């Protein structure tokens, strides 16, 4: 079985297990927090969550956004550029998640970080006004969470109710809190740019190794950002499987260690960083049948001005309109395989 076969097999799994890194961790977090034995202790952990004021960062919702019922969450996996926080964060993965008004389903759209668009004007984290420009979507996070929220609202037409960011260094801590994740690699994976050097066969990855596995672009597939998104879904399936194996919902002490790692690794809007809000969302998520959880890749096509970047395809408008209007996504959108060399 080749690495390409491993990625292809991911697409064949049921939709409820095709999760991005951030989406999967959040689903588990919100479900575990509904366990009565955890609520009191978790309330103290919530105080450690870093918060970001989206109103200050983006003002009101972007013009033309729709609130059609339900709750929309922008979930982001990020890291500081070049490992230096002073250089600003970049969004490595973005998922716009919709929990339906009747809590019967979860629909999510994974947005490529290399999406080119007209970034709207906003106020950055230093209270400076960003006039807006044509650029790559993931760069908006460097100006602040509110600027990224406003850009995603402009792209999708959907009002973003909540923001939750998981920094990838925190992802490593989460894996370590699970005592690593077991994997069985069909062949060795090596990517010096991601500090990845894993042999073939069965092994248990620690946090640093799992993070490198999630972030590799050149150790799997065609080296594109689109190709890496499939790999991230594979990584998250492995982590979710480990969480289930550890039975966190029935082991409060072990769950507390895990939740401590999560809450120390995320940043959220103030409304979301509240134990009551998290418990309500967790209760709503727990009601959704597994077969009613779907995550799809935003339909895309190469940017005419730069084949290494993407723009939304025509089908994306319908997908986003359904999400904004609290309607099922319907038929799965096109999940185009990246052209060789795409997403450099």
């Amino acid at each position: 079985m080749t690495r390409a076969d491993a990625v292809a097999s991911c697409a064949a799994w049921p939709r409820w297990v095709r999760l991005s890194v951030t989406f999967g961790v959040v689903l588990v977090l919100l479900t575990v927090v509904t366990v009565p034995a955890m609520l009191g202790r978790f309330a103290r952990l919530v105080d450690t969550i870093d918060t970001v004021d989206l109103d200050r960062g983006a003002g009101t919702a972007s013009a033309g956004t729709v609130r059609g019922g339900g709750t929309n969450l922008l979930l982001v996996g990020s890291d500081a550029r070049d490992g230096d926080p002073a250089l600003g964060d970049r969004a490595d993965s973005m998922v716009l998640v919709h929990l339906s008004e009747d809590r019967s389903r979860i629909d999510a759209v994974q947005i490529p970080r290399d999406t080119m668009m007209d970034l709207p004007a906003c106020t950055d984290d230093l209270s400076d006004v960003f006039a807006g420009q044509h650029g790559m979507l993931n760069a908006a996070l460097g100006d602040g969470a509110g600027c990224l929220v406003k850009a995603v609202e402009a792209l999708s037409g959907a009002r973003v109710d909540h923001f939750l960011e998981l920094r990838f260094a925190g992802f490593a801590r989460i894996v370590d809190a699970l005592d690593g994740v077991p994997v069985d690699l069909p062949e060795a994976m090596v990517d010096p740019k991601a500090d990845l050097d894993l042999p073939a066969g069965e092994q248990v990855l620690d946090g640093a190794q799992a993070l490198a596995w999630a972030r590799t672009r050149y150790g799997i597939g065609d080296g594109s950002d689109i190709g890496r998104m499939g790999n991230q879904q594979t990584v998250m399936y492995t982590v979710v499987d480990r969480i289930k194996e550890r039975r966190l919902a029935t082991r409060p002490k072990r769950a507390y260690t895990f939740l401590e790692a999560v809450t120390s690794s995320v940043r959220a809007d103030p409304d979301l960083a509240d134990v009551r809000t998290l418990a309500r969302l967790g209760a709503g998520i727990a009601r959704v049948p597994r077969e009613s959880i779907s995550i799809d890749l935003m339909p895309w096509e190469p940017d005419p001005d730069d084949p290494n970047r993407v723009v939304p395809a025509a089908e994306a408008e319908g997908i986003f309109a359904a999400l904004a209007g609290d309607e099922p996504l319907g038929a799965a959108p096109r999940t185009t395989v990246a052209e060789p060399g795409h997403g450099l």
Side-chain angles (χ1 to χ4, degrees):
M1 182 178 184
T2 66
R3 287 192 296 265
D5 291 334
V7 172
S9 69
C10 172
W13 292 336
R15 285 187 177 183
W16 70 270
V17 300
R18 287 162 50 202
L19 306 175
S20 76
V21 171
T22 305
F23 188 27
V25 169
V26 170
L27 287 178
V28 174
L29 165 65
L30 295 180
T31 302
V32 170
V33 76
T34 64
V35 178
M38 293 301 302
L39 284 175
R41 300 181 72 188
F42 183 72
R44 294 190 292 272
L45 289 177
V46 170
D47 292 336
T48 69
I49 295 178
D50 289 335
T51 59
V52 57
D53 189 341
L54 298 184
D55 287 335
R56 182 174 66 82
T60 58
S62 301
T65 56
V66 174
R67 173 175 284 169
T71 302
N72 296 325
L73 302 92
L74 177 61
L75 307 179
V76 177
S78 74
D79 201 359
R81 185 167 40 146
D82 297 329
D84 184 351
L87 294 178
D89 286 353
R90 289 294 182 268
D92 270 14
S93 63
M94 288 168 279
V95 186
L96 185 57
V97 180
H98 177 76
L99 177 61
S100 66
E101 181 72 20
D102 62 6
R103 300 316 194 234
S104 66
R105 69 182 191 281
I106 294 173
D107 295 309
V109 180
Q110 196 170 8
I111 305 174
R113 71 169 199 165
D114 290 348
T115 300
M116 298 298 293
M117 63 173 291
D118 291 327
L119 299 173
C122 63
T123 303
D124 66 20
D125 279 348
L126 299 178
S127 298
D128 295 325
V129 175
F130 170 65
Q133 64 181 23
H134 190 74
M136 199 159 65
L137 175 61
N138 82 318
L141 185 60
D143 291 312
C147 288
L148 180 61
V149 165
K150 197 167 187 180
V152 170
E153 288 182 335
L155 176 71
S156 66
R159 169 63 187 254
V160 174
D161 301 299
H162 295 296
F163 169 88
L164 187 69
E165 173 189 354
L166 171 66
R167 302 203 177 201
F168 281 149
F171 174 71
R173 288 195 293 272
I174 289 168
V175 170
D176 286 334
L178 295 169
D179 298 322
V181 290
V183 300
D184 185 1
L185 299 180
E187 60 183 66
M189 296 182 66
V190 179
D191 180 2
K193 293 185 177 182
D195 293 324
L196 179 69
D197 188 358
L198 301 176
E202 296 182 3
Q203 56 201 292
V204 177
L205 306 186
D206 63 20
Q209 292 171 319
L211 176 60
W213 185 32
R215 300 201 66 191
T216 183
R217 296 176 70 165
Y218 301 101
I220 191 168
D222 61 6
S224 72
D225 181 55
I226 301 294
R228 178 172 62 171
M229 294 171 83
N231 187 50
Q232 288 177 343
Q233 292 169 354
T234 306
V235 173
M236 196 58 242
Y237 176 78
T238 304
V239 173
V240 170
D241 191 53
R242 182 65 160 177
I243 290 169
K244 292 177 182 178
E245 176 188 309
R246 303 291 281 173
R247 294 186 295 172
L248 298 183
T250 60
R251 298 183 179 183
K253 184 176 180 179
R254 185 173 290 176
Y256 185 84
T257 300
F258 168 76
L259 293 173
E260 187 175 37
V262 173
T263 55
S264 65
S265 306
V266 300
R267 187 168 62 144
D269 65 273
D271 289 339
L272 187 60
D274 174 84
V275 69
R276 291 166 296 185
T277 301
L278 288 172
R280 285 195 298 269
L281 282 175
I285 287 173
R287 290 171 51 189
V288 179
R290 286 178 173 176
E291 63 271 16
S292 297
I293 299 175
S294 67
I295 178 169
D296 291 298
L297 176 62
M298 180 193 82
W300 61 272
E301 57 190 30
D303 181 3
D305 297 323
D306 184 350
N308 294 320
R309 302 289 180 256
V310 305
V311 294
E315 300 97 319
E317 183 176 354
I319 294 296
F320 284 131
L323 187 147
D326 195 30
E327 298 291 338
L329 294 186
R334 181 186 62 193
T335 53
T336 307
V337 176
E339 297 288 341
H342 166 76
L344 300 177

